[in-house]
Amino acid sequence: MSVSARYTKELRERFGYSATWLPTVRIGLGDVGRMVGYEFERLGGLADFGVRFEARGCESVGTMAYASSGGVEVTVGGTAEVASGPWAAPAGVAMSIKFSREGAVWFQAEACVVEAIEDLLALESEIVALNEAGKWDDDLVVVTEVIRAEQGTVLVSGGAQGGIDLTTRAEVPAVGGRAGVRVTASRNIGTQVVGYGDLTPLFRAKGIRRRLLRRATLTSRLDAGAPLSQVPEEQLPSVFLGDVDYDHFA
């Protein structure tokens, strides 16, 4: 399994959002593109299709953190911490992240806020109409929600016994966003990404799906309530509005 597939699958399972790969790639509300090879390929925006929308923001700010279960150990100042995060290390303290298996993921994003398209029902109506007119391909998706972060860090182990040793300092933002860091040692780290600025590490997208003997609909594999696989065919509503992920197009 590729690094991008492993990373995006784990974060989807943990947070219920699609993960941006590479994590520093900028994705915006209303972006239109395709999900190819566990990456979002931007082709344009809703404005290119004559579709307008309003954004809804959130003033709440938080930290999002994830570590592969049973695969990551974080040590701060010589003391092992529970690998569920978030993790913080004051300036001048040694920090060590150890991986016990290949492909284990360590993720943390700081100062996260959520932005979303306001009227999804109106958006659905316009996109379905475009699709029925042959102006919106079935494999196109539109980004309807993004999580923005000021700082983000992603580490993916390249092998068993991988790890990275850090010494924190105060001059610049850190891994995890608490203090600056200087890498003193690194072993078997397959992917290391530290990003600052207007990042969008997680997002949600929607796309056209079709059901037998039903009209086209902007829908998803996962929806609120029971999974579609558990709902009897005769009880399925004709329209679903929800998320699509990379696996939907794999």
Side-chain angles (χ1 to χ4, degrees):
M1 184 183 297
S2 68
V3 173
S4 59
R6 181 180 293 111
Y7 172 76
T8 56
K9 283 175 179 289
E10 287 202 31
L11 265 64
R12 175 70 180 192
E13 183 176 349
R14 172 65 178 86
F15 296 113
Y17 284 80
S18 298
T20 308
W21 187 264
L22 291 167
T24 52
V25 171
R26 177 76 159 77
I27 292 179
L29 284 183
D31 279 357
V32 176
R34 294 187 175 95
M35 289 179 156
V36 181
Y38 295 93
E39 297 182 27
F40 176 76
E41 181 185 74
R42 187 185 186 278
L43 300 176
L46 284 177
D48 299 319
F49 295 86
V51 178
R52 297 174 178 266
F53 68 90
E54 293 185 3
R56 171 173 51 84
C58 177
E59 296 181 358
S60 300
V61 179
T63 296
M64 304 184 75
Y66 170 79
S68 296
S69 177
V72 182
E73 179 184 285
V74 180
T75 302
V76 178
T79 302
E81 296 190 352
V82 177
S84 59
W87 302 273
V93 174
M95 183 175 182
S96 178
I97 304 169
K98 297 181 180 180
F99 299 92
S100 60
R101 58 179 172 83
E102 181 181 1
V105 173
W106 190 90
F107 163 86
Q108 184 155 302
E110 290 285 337
C112 298
V113 296
V114 180
E115 292 183 359
I117 289 180
E118 180 70 51
D119 193 341
L120 293 179
L121 291 178
L123 177 67
E124 175 185 1
S125 178
E126 293 195 64
I127 290 181
V128 168
L130 286 168
N131 179 259
E132 292 177 342
K135 298 178 180 179
W136 183 284
D137 294 340
D138 285 0
D139 62 347
L140 290 180
V141 302
V142 55
V143 175
T144 58
E145 186 175 341
V146 294
I147 292 182
R148 300 195 182 284
E150 291 183 4
Q151 301 169 35
T153 303
V154 172
L155 301 173
V156 182
S157 177
Q161 306 305 316
I164 187 168
D165 297 329
L166 313 164
T167 299
T168 61
R169 60 177 187 265
E171 290 82 1
V172 296
V175 170
R178 302 302 188 189
V181 296
R182 178 173 62 88
V183 177
T184 57
S186 178
R187 339 168 260 290
N188 287 335
I189 298 296
T191 301
Q192 177 181 325
V193 179
V194 180
Y196 310 103
D198 189 9
L199 307 177
T200 50
L202 300 169
F203 69 98
R204 282 182 173 149
K206 301 186 185 298
I208 291 288
R209 307 307 299 170
R210 298 184 183 275
R211 301 189 191 285
L212 186 63
L213 301 179
R214 300 184 189 272
R215 65 189 290 272
T217 178
L218 191 65
T219 187
S220 74
R221 173 169 298 195
L222 300 177
D223 292 271
L228 298 183
S229 61
Q230 297 178 14
V231 178
E233 176 66 25
E234 64 273 12
Q235 295 181 18
L236 286 174
S238 59
V239 176
F240 292 91
L241 181 64
D243 299 342
V244 290
D245 192 44
Y246 300 104
D247 285 338
H248 210 105
F249 302 95

